[in-house]
Amino acid sequence: MAKVELKKIGKVYEGNVRAVEEANITINDKEFVVFVGPSGCGKSTTLRMVAGLEDISEGELLIDGKIVNDVPPKDRDIAMVFQNYALYPHMTVYDNMAFGLKIRKIPKAEIDTRVREAARILDIEKLLDRRPKQLSGGQRQRVAVGRAIVRNPKVFLFDEPLSNLDAKLRVQMRAEIIELHDRLQATMIYVTHDQVEAMTMGDKIVVMRDGKVQQIGSPLYLYNHPINKFVAGFIGSPPMNFLTAKVIEEGGQVMLDEGGFKLKPAAEHLALLKPYVGKEVSFGIRPEDIPVSEGGSAPNGVIKAKVTVVEPLGAEIHLYASTSTQPLVAKIPPHHLYKSGDAIAFAPVMEKARYFDRETELSILPVKFDEQA
């Protein structure tokens, strides 16, 4: 397979519209990397530049150490799976999968071997004589993936391939693509706007916003060590809570004052917060890190709030509440019974708290832009 390197890659459209800016990303051999971000962040444009479907305005793209900026798509040895499947409606499944090999003049016997092996891997052997209109969405997606597999490319590219599927089928197809990567040991680049897909599928995640790479790292690293407020709020479901609080010094102790409550930061965070005494910061805490305090108190203080919405999800409850000024959500065990209007006290796990500068939105705690740097 192959190593893919993006060195200061940029894309500028007519009118000086900048879609991607100085993207520095390394996808190692056999790695599964996910580009994630909201619509319009530049992730699909970046993928299309790797594929050769978009011209590169700035920087260098290397595959296996060779600069390929001006190499045509057909000569890059990549295969792409599109969001809309892009199957030929008049061809059978077999012919759709074989088409790319036929135009490359691969021997007929080898084509047959490759198509049937890919069909076996994807469990679509019984569908080879059907046409796309006779297939379900999930079956069409398998055919699109199969068409990529038969190419035996250096790099697989996936552009939001599951977005047209229903929720249950998306979960199933996620698992199948992960298993496929393990089996093929291929280099894969996958684009999605769904952070759950990114968290569950990628060896490494590239978070993008407004054409810029925000942070690169393993799913758990980004989850636990977000570099800025955007990454912190984008990775995780439900998203991280952000409360505005003032850093104060009270009796020689650094504290957080929200107005309606005070919290004592974890010992390892005190020195980092001291320069912010007298200033406001964004205090971030994930929904699973604010358990309910049954006694109404905790050593580091509690967040007093009123329940607004209760969402029972079986294995857990999402509890939406509001302080005197700010909303928040907690993820709690299902045995808790609360209703709208109940007064409640949360005891945040302060060791898990994250803090962000109000002006720059950068993490006050030390974090790497690239986990591997």
Side-chain angles (χ1 to χ4, degrees), residues 62-105:
L62 289 83
I63 298 178
D64 261 352
K66 298 176 183 176
I67 298 174
V68 297
N69 288 44
D70 299 319
V71 174
K74 65 183 180 64
D75 297 327
R76 293 191 184 190
D77 202 6
I78 54 94
M80 191 160 177
V81 179
F82 296 90
Q83 178 180 350
N84 62 356
Y85 318 134
L87 301 177
Y88 297 108
H90 63 287
M91 291 185 183
T92 64
V93 167
Y94 184 101
D95 289 335
N96 264 284
M97 292 171 65
F99 183 74
L101 301 180
K102 288 178 180 177
I103 62 175
R104 285 172 176 76
K105 298 188 173 12

Side-chain angles (χ1 to χ4, degrees), residues 173-234:
M173 286 299 297
R174 279 206 311 256
E176 290 183 9
I177 291 174
I178 294 168
E179 184 181 341
L180 182 67
H181 175 254
D182 291 341
R183 182 179 297 184
L184 298 179
Q185 287 295 290
T187 304
M188 292 186 175
I189 307 174
Y190 187 103
V191 162
T192 181
H193 63 272
D194 185 337
Q195 60 89 21
V196 174
E197 276 186 25
M199 288 287 291
T200 55
M201 297 180 77
D203 300 322
K204 185 163 70 182
I205 297 176
V206 178
V207 182
M208 297 186 70
R209 179 192 190 191
D210 297 335
K212 296 179 182 178
V213 175
Q214 300 293 300
Q215 191 175 4
I216 302 171
S218 70
L220 286 180
Y221 187 83
L222 299 192
Y223 185 80
N224 291 315
H225 306 284
I227 200 168
N228 57 32
K229 192 175 175 182
F230 173 78
V231 175
F234 194 83

Side-chain angles (χ1 to χ4, degrees), residues 15-134:
N16 201 33
V17 176
R18 188 167 288 277
V20 179
E21 186 173 344
E22 288 200 356
N24 289 294
I25 306 166
T26 298
I27 297 101
N28 293 311
D29 185 31
K30 301 178 183 177
E31 199 167 37
F32 194 132
V33 173
V34 180
F35 293 177
V36 67
S39 295
C41 72
K43 56 189 184 296
S44 287
T45 301
T46 304
L47 190 78
R48 290 173 66 84
M49 284 192 284
V50 175
L53 302 177
E54 290 277 2
D55 292 332
I56 296 171
S57 305
E58 303 161 345
E60 293 180 338
L61 173 67
L62 289 83
I63 298 178
D64 261 352
K66 298 176 183 176
I67 298 174
V68 297
N69 288 44
D70 299 319
V71 174
K74 65 183 180 64
D75 297 327
R76 293 191 184 190
D77 202 6
I78 54 94
M80 191 160 177
V81 179
F82 296 90
Q83 178 180 350
N84 62 356
Y85 318 134
L87 301 177
Y88 297 108
H90 63 287
M91 291 185 183
T92 64
V93 167
Y94 184 101
D95 289 335
N96 264 284
M97 292 171 65
F99 183 74
L101 301 180
K102 288 178 180 177
I103 62 175
R104 285 172 176 76
K105 298 188 173 12
I106 304 294
K108 193 177 258 189
E110 185 178 343
I111 291 175
D112 189 67
T113 299
R114 288 199 200 180
V115 168
R116 295 191 183 281
E117 174 61 14
R120 184 190 63 78
I121 290 172
L122 295 165
D123 195 25
I124 54 173
E125 293 168 285
K126 296 179 181 178
L127 307 178
L128 292 176
D129 294 329
R130 296 189 190 179
R131 285 181 167 75
K133 68 179 181 181
Q134 299 171 299

Side-chain angles (χ1 to χ4, degrees), residues 133-149:
K133 68 179 181 181
Q134 299 171 299
L135 306 177
S136 67
Q139 289 170 336
R140 290 180 194 179
Q141 194 55 270
R142 284 190 183 89
V143 175
V145 173
R147 184 176 54 190
I149 290 174

